[in-house]
Amino acid sequence: MRDISDDMRERLRAASVIFAERGFDGTTIEALSETTEVPSSTLYYYFTGKEEILTFLLGDWLERTSAGVENAICGEGSAKERLAAVVTAQLDAMAKDPATCQVLLAELGRIDRLPHVAEAVRAAFHAPVAKLLADGIAYDHFRVVDIENATSMLYGAVIITGLHHVISSHGAVPAFDSTAVADSVMDLVLTGLERV
Amino acid sequence: MRDISDDMRERLRAASVIFAERGFDGTTIEALSETTEVPSSTLYYYFTGKEEILTFLLGDWLERTSAGVENAICGEGSAKERLAAVVTAQLDAMAKDPATCQVLLAELGRIDRLPHVAEAVRAAFHAPVAKLLADGIAYDHFRVVDIENATSMLYGAVIITGLHHVISSHGAVPAFDSTAVADSVMDLVLTGLERV
DNA sequence: TCATACTTTGGAATGAGATTACAACATAGC
DNA sequence: GCTATGTTGTAATCTCATTCCAAAGTATGA
């Protein structure tokens, strides 16, 4: 993949919407070319193929997401407060770029086969949660739970809830109120369903 | 789609494994034909195409899953106990047929475009959870939470945790101990992270 | 200003694979 | 045996993705 100019990066954003609407293999290079107003020969000049375009879009989004999450994880506050900040940052990234995050989740299987993207997902979604759970347990703010399972659960809860709101929003941007959803998620995660 | 004999149904199961390994569009009809030992012309006699084969496999699995879940939801016990039974049934279905459930989650985007499958997923995974949450709140066994979000969260927690174990198990059947994972999931969902 | 290197783009060629068409053969039930 | 239905091989089509190539454009430094 060659260096992508800012102009090109800008035009390519529209490609996420097409991928989200039609799925990866329902999307032809021709459709991407028309939507982005970049001729298909030019697309092939920059990218080795359709999959690399997808990789670029997801990588770009995940990089921005990671930046927000890093920021949240490094902040002040208890593990609990930082976990809330991380979840908010993740949901905020989803709300702000619903098309790309929808593609990411629609193509989970393919992503497993794209090591660069898989690693970026881990860095933006898994790792921060695992770290904060471990911190919270170590400092006695959280109960002792199975970190492996709890990490998967929290990851799943966040992305599926975000996806639900993305799909319900029919393309609005931002797709939902990330703070409100994050509050709802953290409420259940911290306190649980059961009455005390 | 024509009626599928039991013999054919049996052979087709192997197709899930190929779909899981290679993804939907990485899988050629030829590969399915070799794996299932059903000639490709015969596959086209029964199905309109590759996507209908996928629909059949997922529908078959979801039907079995729904049966188990229905059973759990109708049983004795409080909303809490029945919720645990539902989660166990869902995870058990995943553990017993890891390939099919992996395909389901790998192709989430495509499934959105297959109304029959989307509806079956709702029936097997969403609806039972939503109902039990509502019941539990109505009978004062659960705190009052936003049911829409809580349903998505629990659904996400279950499928992503199940998927994690499926992938970690590298094809073993059953892929994991569904009761143990369900206990872990229910512990967090009921009690939350926070120390009391 | 020119030469060189890189960028952009159109259009034709190639090739893989999905799907269809069709014909031959098998088999079950009547 | 007769007919409808199931089974399968082969050839023909069609839709893309991808590759090739050549003609312009453009920036840049000598």
Side-chain angles (χ1 to χ4, degrees):
Chain A
M1 193 180 83
R2 294 174 193 257
D3 285 341
I4 307 295
S5 70
D6 287 346
D7 171 57
M8 180 69 76
R9 186 180 304 263
E10 196 48 50
R11 292 194 196 185
L12 285 170
R13 291 195 186 232
S16 285
V17 178
I18 304 295
F19 275 134
E21 280 172 0
R22 310 185 189 176
F24 180 78
D25 44 316
T27 301
T28 65
I29 288 285
E30 209 37 59
L32 292 179
S33 164
E34 284 166 23
T35 304
T36 60
E37 301 184 59
V38 179
S40 63
S41 334
T42 306
L43 289 175
Y44 276 106
Y45 178 74
Y46 281 100
F47 301 100
T48 58
K50 210 165 64 162
E51 196 165 74
E52 205 178 60
I53 298 176
L54 181 71
T55 301
F56 167 77
L57 292 168
L58 297 178
D60 198 50
W61 179 70
L62 286 165
E63 209 171 287
R64 276 176 284 141
T65 303
S66 274
V69 170
E70 285 303 317
N71 194 46
I73 209 174
C74 295
E76 298 293 308
S78 62
K80 170 179 145 182
E81 289 160 341
R82 285 181 293 149
L83 185 59
V86 162
V87 167
T88 305
Q90 291 170 341
L91 287 167
D92 199 48
M94 298 179 79
K96 282 190 180 135
D97 194 344
T100 306
C101 99
Q102 192 180 339
V103 178
L104 180 85
L105 296 173
E107 303 289 336
L108 268 189
R110 187 182 310 278
I111 283 157
D112 250 28
R113 285 170 231 114
L114 301 173
H116 172 254
V117 180
E119 182 46 39
V121 171
R122 238 187 305 289
F125 285 88
H126 276 265
V129 169
K131 177 180 177 354
L132 288 177
L133 286 178
D135 275 13
I137 292 171
Y139 287 95
D140 244 19
H141 293 135
F142 293 154
R143 288 192 304 130
V144 176
V145 294
D146 176 323
I147 291 187
E148 184 188 351
N149 280 329
T151 302
S152 285
M153 286 175 63
L154 194 39
Y155 166 61
V158 168
I159 62 174
I160 297 297
T161 306
L163 179 64
H164 169 72
H165 287 288
V166 162
I167 290 175
S168 309
S169 74
H170 300 296
V173 178
F176 55 91
D177 177 345
S178 50
T179 305
V181 176
D183 285 350
S184 179
V185 169
M186 288 306 296
D187 172 55
L188 184 56
V189 167
L190 290 174
T191 313
L193 276 175
E194 211 156 30
R195 291 180 67 81
V196 279
Chain B
M1 194 182 79
R2 294 174 192 258
D3 285 341
I4 306 295
S5 70
D6 288 346
D7 171 57
M8 181 69 78
R9 185 181 304 262
E10 196 49 50
R11 291 194 198 184
L12 285 170
R13 292 195 185 228
S16 286
V17 178
I18 304 294
F19 276 134
E21 280 172 0
R22 311 185 189 174
F24 181 78
D25 46 318
T27 301
T28 65
I29 288 284
E30 209 38 58
L32 292 179
S33 163
E34 283 165 24
T35 304
T36 60
E37 302 184 59
V38 178
S40 62
S41 336
T42 307
L43 289 174
Y44 277 108
Y45 178 73
Y46 281 100
F47 302 100
T48 59
K50 210 165 61 161
E51 196 163 76
E52 204 178 60
I53 298 176
L54 181 72
T55 300
F56 167 76
L57 293 169
L58 297 177
D60 198 49
W61 180 71
L62 286 165
E63 209 171 288
R64 275 175 286 141
T65 303
S66 275
V69 170
E70 284 303 316
N71 195 47
I73 210 175
C74 296
E76 299 293 307
S78 62
K80 170 179 146 185
E81 289 161 340
R82 285 181 293 149
L83 184 58
V86 163
V87 168
T88 304
Q90 291 171 339
L91 288 167
D92 200 49
M94 298 179 81
K96 282 190 181 137
D97 194 343
T100 306
C101 98
Q102 193 181 337
V103 177
L104 181 85
L105 295 173
E107 303 288 337
L108 267 189
R110 186 182 311 277
I111 283 158
D112 251 28
R113 285 172 230 111
L114 301 173
H116 173 254
V117 180
E119 182 45 40
V121 170
R122 237 188 306 289
F125 286 90
H126 277 265
V129 169
K131 176 181 178 354
L132 288 178
L133 285 178
D135 275 12
I137 293 170
Y139 287 95
D140 243 19
H141 292 135
F142 295 153
R143 289 192 304 129
V144 175
V145 294
D146 176 324
I147 291 188
E148 182 187 352
N149 281 328
T151 302
S152 286
M153 287 175 63
L154 194 40
Y155 166 61
V158 168
I159 64 174
I160 297 297
T161 306
L163 179 63
H164 170 71
H165 288 288
V166 162
I167 291 174
S168 308
S169 74
H170 300 296
V173 178
F176 55 90
D177 177 345
S178 51
T179 306
V181 175
D183 285 351
S184 180
V185 168
M186 288 306 296
D187 172 56
L188 184 56
V189 167
L190 290 174
T191 314
L193 276 174
E194 213 156 28
R195 290 181 68 82
V196 280

